[in-house]
Amino acid sequence: MDPIQSCYIFMTALFAALIMVPPLRRWALESGNVDQPDARKVHTVAIPRIGGIAIFVAFLLSCLVYVDLLPPVRGILAGGLVIFSTGLIDDISGLTARRKFLGEIVACLVTVFVGGLQIHTLGNLFGTGPILLPPWAAVPFTVFAVVGVINAINLLDGLDGLAGGVSVIALTSFAILAYHNGNTSAAMLCIALLGALLGFLKYNFFPARIFMGDTGSLGLGFMLGFLAVYLTQMPDSRVSPVVPVVILGLPILDTLWVMSRRLLHRLSPFAPDKTHLHHKFLDLGLEHRFTVIFIYGISLVWGTVAILFRDTEGHLLLLTYLGVTLFLYLLLRAMLRHPERFTFLRLDSAQGIRQAVRYRQLAGIIDTLALGLFPLLGAYLGMILYVTFAGGQGSWQVAGILLAAAAFLWILTRDLKNSYLLAMLFAGALELTYGVETYYLLDPTVGGFFREASNLIFLAMAVLGMLKLFFRLDGDFFISTVDILILGLLAFLSIVFHHLAVSLDLSLTLLKGAALYFALKVVAGRYRFR
């Protein structure tokens, strides 16, 4: 799989979702499509619940542009449209549990018959050899399994960012498995959905500004279920069917446990209550965000185990998973029965995560490390000057105009954090960057050194910029609408140039521009506040 194409798939879905969520949120608030708080829910204000539209549309757009429409892909997308419609109708006007369940079954059948995706082997579950399903049982079992995953993800969507974050971990694990298995189209589907989901999660982390709703949770469960089938049931697949079960084990076992308890109490298995795993952690005294982080950690551990031990016999992997899960369940029951022995859990704070002591300590360390952006930008400026004058590059003329305009705007505003000023600085620097990237063609000996040096500088700037983005102090920069527009245009132009084969150097330069832009924002932020 081409890494450049993977980047395009991810970036297209990411920016499509980032751009779509704000107008969707405004429309939902104006039209009243919001999730009202009640005794069962943990949020206290009405929140829009149609974020799943952005996830699915961004995913579909990226797939239609880049992914080869092989029969399995066509089947997944066709069934995805059915499950999307089911979730959307439920979010906007409401559906009974029976009708929603029927929509899930129809979506699964569409994918089975259009894409030919069905479960025909369960792997070596008991150590006695592979278990093969007879043809008459393959389709019903496939529908049963995928509908189970759909409802597991749907029921997991009880805290801000929980279902989305667990799905991100699962999709990342699936993408790695698909890559190692040579299943390019499955990997592309995972990457496209991963980009769309991360774009949405920016607005869904605690405290959430929008929910994914059933449009999102049903769609995610559907995609994860059939991606697991796609990974394990192809003729040349080397991924054991047990591996996706371990990756998705937490939501699956939680759903089985909760539904079993409801049936034992003669209630509907779909009746809402507060008996899920995340509710138990809240009962222990953990606050909202740390409950989500803790469940992320559990999912990440099992995802890592599934990848590292993917070649282990299926029955051994499954027994290990069930054994460890049983031990953790018994430990959780003991903690719930004797909460007075675990008072340290109640030391958690309900304040925003950026007010936590540990977070601020880590953010301070990263803020100090970010000082390294100054010498990095200085070194890169020296390279630009050398190439511009020694190499006879003419790019300095256009860049000079842009930089002069930026200087004029700074004189007027005295605000180096102004997004438009940064955009002009960025455009001018990007123009000169292209000269550095192409200098090796004029002088392969010296130019090759400059290109390697620029690659290292951009890598360092990208790492520091992303760290500052995720670990911000009060007053630090944040991504604005203008930033999203600029980065979105970068991704779009890079895609266009790549497909038109105009210039590979120009396409790569545009991708590097994102790192340069973040670096300029960090430096500008320090200039203003320090």
Side-chain angles (χ1 to χ4, degrees), residues 303-379:
T304 303
V305 168
I307 292 171
L308 294 179
F309 298 95
R310 62 186 180 276
D311 296 326
T312 304
E313 289 290 340
H315 66 286
L316 295 177
L317 185 60
L318 183 61
L319 282 174
T320 301
Y321 175 74
L322 293 176
V324 174
T325 301
L326 178 61
F327 169 77
L328 294 176
Y329 168 73
L330 295 174
L331 178 62
L332 177 61
R333 282 181 61 89
M335 294 173 72
L336 287 169
R337 288 178 178 177
H338 304 283
E340 70 280 358
R341 300 179 184 177
F342 304 95
T343 55
F344 67 92
L345 294 174
R346 300 184 181 274
L347 297 177
D348 186 11
S349 170
Q351 294 180 329
I353 192 169
R354 289 189 173 82
Q355 303 304 317
V357 174
R358 298 298 181 190
Y359 176 92
R360 294 183 68 83
Q361 289 175 344
L362 183 58
I365 294 172
I366 292 172
D367 189 58
T368 302
L369 292 175
L371 291 171
L373 287 171
F374 285 89
L376 287 172
L377 286 171

Side-chain angles (χ1 to χ4, degrees), residues 1 26 42 63 93 129 135 168 185 190 227 235 238 261 294 299 309 312 328 352-355 391 394 417 476 495:
M1 184 172 61
R26 288 193 295 270
V42 296
C63 288
S93 57
V168 163
S185 55
C190 292
L227 283 170
R238 301 187 304 275
R261 292 186 76 256
F294 193 73
S299 298
F309 298 95
T312 304
L328 294 176
I353 192 169
R354 289 189 173 82
Q355 303 304 317
K417 287 190 68 178
D476 280 343
I495 292 165

Side-chain angles (χ1 to χ4, degrees), residues 23-38:
L24 278 173
R25 182 177 182 274
R26 288 193 295 270
W27 176 78
L29 289 171
E30 293 169 0
S31 61
N33 288 305
V34 295
D35 192 15
Q36 298 290 348
D38 57 34

Side-chain angles (χ1 to χ4, degrees), residues 159 281-282 285-292 345 348-351:
L159 296 179
F281 284 132
L282 291 173
L286 289 174
E287 292 291 341
H288 190 127
R289 70 175 186 274
F290 283 107
T291 297
V292 173
L345 294 174
D348 186 11
S349 170
Q351 294 180 329

Side-chain angles (χ1 to χ4, degrees), residues 513-524:
L516 181 61
Y517 187 71
F518 278 126
L520 288 171
K521 290 212 74 170
V522 174
V523 171

Side-chain angles (χ1 to χ4, degrees), residues 104-364:
E104 295 170 9
I105 294 175
V106 171
C108 292
L109 290 174
V110 168
T111 299
V112 168
F113 290 110
V114 173
L117 288 172
Q118 55 186 277
I119 300 173
H120 55 80
T121 176
L122 302 181
N124 187 9
L125 286 182
F126 304 108
T128 57
I131 300 176
L132 302 179
L133 296 177
W136 58 267
V139 173
F141 186 83
T142 301
V143 173
F144 170 78
V146 175
V147 168
V149 176
I150 291 172
N151 286 282
I153 299 299
N154 181 243
L155 295 175
L156 186 68
D157 189 27
L159 296 179
D160 297 350
L162 180 56
V166 171
S167 297
V168 163
I169 294 169
L171 285 168
T172 304
S173 302
F174 284 1
I176 294 171
L177 291 170
Y179 172 77
H180 283 287
N181 198 38
N183 194 335
T184 301
S185 55
M188 288 182 174
L189 290 175
C190 292
I191 292 170
L193 187 54
L194 189 61
L197 188 52
L198 286 172
F200 161 78
L201 279 174
K202 175 182 182 296
Y203 307 94
N204 186 238
F205 286 126
F206 179 77
R209 287 170 281 174
I210 189 170
F211 293 153
M212 66 173 64
D214 279 355
T215 310
S217 59
L218 296 183
L220 280 177
F222 174 86
M223 293 296 170
L224 288 169
F226 271 109
L227 283 170
V229 175
Y230 196 9
L231 279 172
T232 61
Q233 303 299 317
M234 291 295 98
D236 57 346
S237 176
R238 301 187 304 275
V239 180
S240 168
V242 175
V243 172
V245 173
V246 172
I247 294 172
L248 296 172
L250 188 148
I252 290 173
L253 289 182
D254 182 52
T255 299
L256 289 174
W257 170 251
V258 170
M259 286 189 169
S260 299
R261 292 186 76 256
R262 291 171 183 170
L263 291 172
L264 288 174
H265 289 84
R266 297 183 179 180
L267 299 172
S268 167
F270 300 101
D273 59 22
K274 301 186 74 171
T275 60
H276 288 280
L277 179 64
H278 52 270
H279 292 125
K280 300 300 181 183
F281 284 132
L282 291 173
D283 292 341
L284 281 175
L286 289 174
E287 292 291 341
H288 190 127
R289 70 175 186 274
F290 283 107
T291 297
V292 173
I293 291 171
F294 193 73
I295 295 176
Y296 283 175
I298 297 173
S299 298
L300 187 60
V301 167
W302 284 119
T304 303
V305 168
I307 292 171
L308 294 179
F309 298 95
R310 62 186 180 276
D311 296 326
T312 304
E313 289 290 340
H315 66 286
L316 295 177
L317 185 60
L318 183 61
L319 282 174
T320 301
Y321 175 74
L322 293 176
V324 174
T325 301
L326 178 61
F327 169 77
L328 294 176
Y329 168 73
L330 295 174
L331 178 62
L332 177 61
R333 282 181 61 89
M335 294 173 72
L336 287 169
R337 288 178 178 177
H338 304 283
E340 70 280 358
R341 300 179 184 177
F342 304 95
T343 55
F344 67 92
L345 294 174
R346 300 184 181 274
L347 297 177
D348 186 11
S349 170
Q351 294 180 329
I353 192 169
R354 289 189 173 82
Q355 303 304 317
V357 174
R358 298 298 181 190
Y359 176 92
R360 294 183 68 83
Q361 289 175 344
L362 183 58

Side-chain angles (χ1 to χ4, degrees), residues 45-64:
V45 296
I47 297 178
R49 60 184 178 209
I50 56 173
I53 297 176
I55 297 174
F56 184 79
V57 173
F59 165 73
L60 184 63
L61 171 66
S62 187
C63 288
L64 292 177

